[in-house]
Amino acid sequence: MQLSALVLTFLTGTISSTHGEATFSSHIFKHVKTKTSSEVQQTATAELISRIVPERASQFKVTVDSALKPNSFKITKTSDSSVVVIVGSSGVAASKGFYHYLKYYCGCHVSWDGDQLDLPDDLPNVNVTVEAPSSIVYYQNVCTWSYSFSWWTWMEWRRHIDWMALQGITLSLAPFQEDLWTEVFSEYNLTQHDIDEHLSGPGFFAWQRMGNIRGWGGPLTESFKTFASDLQTKVVQEMRRFGMILALPAFAGHLPVQFKAMFPQAKLNPVEVWNGFPAQYASPLFLDPVDPLFQKIGSKFVAKAIARYGTDHIYFSDPFNEIQPRSESARYLASAAAGIYQAMVDVDPLAVWLLQGWMLVKNPFWSDRAIKAFFTAVPNGRMLVLDLQSEQFPQYVRTQSYYGQPFIWCMLSNFGGTLGMLGSVDLVFERIRETRSNESMTMIGTGITPEGINQNYGLYEFALEMGWNPDISDVDNWFRRYAQIRYGNDDKRLQDAWSIFRSTVYSFKGMEMMRGKYTFNRRPSLKLQPWVRSASFNPKHY
């Protein structure tokens, strides 16, 4: 479909917003799926088990059977055998089945950065089948690249991918793209100096990619570009070996300032200064998606990404993250959305656009009319929206389920990778269940989107478990069990501590935007004004 036809479809109101699965999710489930064979996924899972419990790996037999219901597994062990048999619909499902057994039958725990793997001498008998209530279990925030992943080597990624598989993650993001942009910019005759002025350092990739800044923390060395490209190849290959789906980057419109002189007739405008950055590091250009040059650059970039990494037919692009579009006109917003999408389908006719819904949160620009114009300009089911902070600021109700586009219910909770304890467990539990049972909603998955990791471990494990475990009905009991598996014993003091966490810091239901405002890890000052949520504070607990 040509760009003009996409816009006309919006303006004449002919895009359906029917919420039947055949209209809003059939394309995703038909085309956005693994191409990895069951044999390779099975091998990947067996290797994971050998890494997690090397001395007991022979006691686990794993099989991947793609004929099973998607996102399901079965675990069996009888008294006349010492082997636990795990059959999963994918490598991810089989890995999740393995962790399900470790956690609920052996009392073990695997986290982002530490394990408790005291398996019993005699492995318990089991006969259980689990069918996940979520079709997609998503993980990552575009900011996690910079807050947590910046300096990782293959060693860190190796363990992290294992953790992702054990948690049942089915969809995530490819972490790097700077090597591809270097090639694209070079083909437009930018000098290395020009490119260095644009690409930020690794700790700031997230905001440079979203057009907020340029060049800050750079330049990138050639050795780092080579390292990142090689690492990306390993990461993408290994995730796909488990049957995970990887979203590749697509063009969002953000370009070096040199493009203005090169294309004086193009609709190129500097982005407003973001968070007070100095002029030399602020205001990269935004190429209007309605400009023909957008299609040329966007298609070139997507083609390079596919050529290097293959494709699962899903691409992420965030054009307006804390950046306002130039016009509130419904016609313009429809044209902009259609233009971004068109640059993907020109290269991959099966493309699905993965978009963060963060741009709508607390942003008065996005009126109901503006939202409808933007989201209905893309064919129904060809955009997948991450409702980024559903536990506190859900957008799916306000947007009438994104006007028919499928979405993933996400828990964000952490900003900036700060190390404070806060969470909204009850809201996560209640809202996922309510939304899942509401047939008028287009939710097709659940996930977590922390800006930084290695904090609030139980909170995130609970949110991910909501995507896989249909039997969670008692949240208090789940956290009591979590305390047991985390520490490997039934000490009542641990149970009491987690009961306090559960009923205080993890029961937040307020509307304050908690962005790392934790007094103990802020810069020391005599002028701090701590905010205390006193409703659940009980002095006898402290």
Side-chain angles (χ1 to χ4, degrees):
M1 185 181 291
Q2 296 300 310
L3 176 57
S4 58
L6 283 172
V7 177
L8 181 61
T9 300
F10 160 71
L11 293 173
T12 56
T14 57
I15 284 183
S16 169
S17 61
T18 302
H19 289 177
E21 184 170 297
T23 58
F24 77 79
S25 62
S26 57
H27 177 87
I28 291 175
F29 294 142
K30 182 178 180 180
H31 298 293
V32 181
K33 59 184 181 181
T34 184
K35 300 179 181 68
T36 305
S37 70
S38 296
E39 291 76 17
V40 170
Q41 295 181 58
Q42 184 171 303
T43 299
T45 307
E47 291 171 355
L48 177 152
I49 293 172
S50 294
R51 287 189 292 271
I52 299 298
V53 289
E55 296 179 357
R56 307 290 293 273
S58 62
Q59 292 180 267
F60 294 89
K61 179 183 178 182
V62 63
T63 301
V64 170
D65 182 358
S66 60
L68 294 179
K69 183 178 179 180
N71 288 359
S72 68
F73 58 81
K74 182 174 183 179
I75 316 169
T76 56
K77 182 189 175 298
T78 59
S79 299
D80 58 0
S81 174
S82 62
V83 176
V84 179
V85 177
I86 304 169
V87 183
S89 58
S90 66
V92 168
S95 299
K96 176 63 178 176
F98 170 63
Y99 186 50
H100 185 92
Y101 181 77
L102 289 184
K103 182 160 63 172
Y104 292 112
Y105 292 86
C106 300
C108 295
H109 182 241
V110 178
S111 76
W112 276 312
D113 54 11
D115 307 328
Q116 187 283 109
L117 291 167
D118 186 15
L119 274 72
D121 293 335
D122 296 321
L123 295 179
N125 293 340
V126 61
N127 184 5
V128 63
T129 298
V130 172
E131 295 180 351
S134 290
S135 298
I136 295 173
V137 179
Y138 175 81
Y139 164 62
Q140 250 197 72
N141 183 307
V142 296
C143 294
T144 321
W145 297 318
S146 294
Y147 284 126
S148 296
F149 301 159
S150 296
W151 313 112
W152 279 13
T153 64
W154 174 241
M155 180 178 69
E156 287 82 13
W157 272 108
R158 165 73 284 163
R159 176 181 170 85
H160 198 63
I161 295 168
D162 284 350
W163 173 85
M164 291 171 66
L166 292 170
Q167 294 291 341
I169 308 297
T170 65
L171 172 64
S172 194
L173 308 177
F176 293 105
Q177 53 185 274
E178 284 62 36
D179 56 334
L180 299 175
W181 279 119
T182 297
E183 290 183 15
V184 171
F185 295 154
S186 296
E187 290 178 12
Y188 279 97
N189 296 319
L190 265 69
T191 66
Q192 188 59 53
H193 177 73
D194 295 336
I195 296 171
D196 288 344
E197 281 191 343
H198 181 73
L199 296 178
S200 72
F204 305 93
F205 279 162
W207 303 279
Q208 177 253 301
R209 293 170 181 175
M210 292 183 288
N212 305 127
I213 59 175
R214 61 188 178 95
W216 184 264
L220 295 178
T221 63
E222 289 304 313
S223 62
F224 182 86
K225 291 177 187 176
T226 301
F227 161 78
S229 180
D230 292 343
L231 181 58
Q232 168 106 320
T233 299
K234 285 185 177 181
V235 168
V236 169
Q237 288 177 347
E238 189 62 14
M239 287 185 183
R240 285 179 174 156
R241 287 184 71 227
F242 286 98
M244 293 182 200
I245 302 302
L246 264 292
L248 295 178
F251 184 41
H254 309 298
L255 290 171
V257 295
Q258 289 80 7
F259 269 77
K260 187 68 175 177
M262 296 164 57
F263 298 95
Q265 303 305 314
K267 294 182 174 66
L268 285 158
N269 294 291
V271 173
E272 64 264 28
V273 175
W274 182 78
N275 274 355
F277 270 78
Q280 71 185 95
Y281 300 112
S283 303
L285 295 177
F286 180 72
L287 175 59
D288 203 313
V290 305
D291 193 288
L293 182 60
F294 191 101
Q295 305 304 313
K296 295 178 182 178
I297 297 175
S299 296
K300 182 187 289 286
F301 179 76
V302 171
K304 285 183 178 294
I306 293 173
R308 183 160 301 175
Y309 303 114
T311 184
D312 295 322
H313 306 300
I314 185 165
Y315 308 88
F316 62 93
S317 173
D318 294 294
F320 303 122
N321 185 75
E322 300 180 18
I323 292 172
Q324 303 292 56
R326 68 170 173 83
S327 171
E328 297 179 7
S329 159
R331 181 182 290 271
Y332 169 73
L333 292 171
S335 298
I340 295 168
Y341 169 72
Q342 190 65 45
M344 302 176 197
V345 295
D346 279 350
V347 180
D348 180 0
L350 300 177
V352 172
W353 176 7
L354 182 67
L355 172 72
Q356 291 189 149
W358 182 249
M359 64 186 188
L360 308 181
V361 177
K362 297 284 187 178
N363 189 345
F365 174 92
W366 290 98
S367 64
D368 292 344
R369 176 173 170 77
I371 293 170
K372 184 175 183 180
F374 190 85
F375 285 96
T376 58
V378 175
N380 214 357
R382 301 299 288 270
M383 176 187 281
L384 178 56
V385 185
L386 300 175
D387 195 89
L388 213 66
Q389 196 181 9
S390 304
E391 82 280 12
Q392 194 174 11
F393 299 108
Q395 302 298 303
Y396 52 86
V397 175
R398 169 196 174 196
T399 61
Q400 300 178 45
S401 238
Y402 294 97
Y403 293 98
Q405 299 289 10
F407 72 92
I408 297 175
W409 196 106
C410 300
M411 185 192 79
L412 195 158
S413 195
N414 177 269
F415 290 92
T418 49
L419 302 178
M421 297 182 71
L422 181 76
S424 303
V425 167
D426 294 308
L427 294 181
V428 172
F429 178 69
E430 294 162 5
R431 287 180 175 171
I432 288 179
R433 286 162 59 98
E434 290 170 359
T435 309
R436 184 178 282 148
S437 64
N438 187 339
E439 294 184 358
S440 70
M441 291 292 175
T442 56
M443 183 179 88
I444 63 172
T446 54
I448 61 170
T449 51
E451 286 195 347
I453 63 171
N454 302 111
Q455 40 73 33
N456 291 294
Y457 298 82
L459 177 70
Y460 287 100
E461 184 145 338
F462 175 77
L464 288 171
E465 192 78 347
M466 286 294 295
W468 273 92
N469 192 338
D471 297 326
I472 297 177
S473 58
D474 186 335
V475 178
D476 293 334
N477 184 60
W478 190 93
F479 275 90
R480 283 192 293 270
R481 180 62 174 151
Y482 178 80
Q484 293 174 3
I485 65 171
R486 179 174 172 84
Y487 305 107
N489 66 63
D490 295 328
D491 191 313
K492 185 178 182 300
R493 292 169 297 179
L494 297 174
Q495 301 291 311
D496 291 344
W498 273 91
S499 292
I500 293 170
F501 296 154
R502 161 72 186 91
S503 62
T504 56
V505 291
Y506 289 148
S507 64
F508 181 60
K509 291 187 177 182
M511 296 298 290
E512 291 87 354
M513 297 188 75
M514 293 300 294
R515 299 194 178 193
K517 299 175 182 177
Y518 307 109
T519 301
F520 66 86
N521 65 7
R522 295 178 69 183
R523 180 174 295 179
S525 171
L526 297 176
K527 299 180 180 180
L528 289 181
Q529 296 181 345
W531 174 80
V532 178
R533 185 170 64 87
S534 59
S536 298
F537 180 81
N538 188 334
K540 74 177 183 179
H541 291 157
Y542 300 91

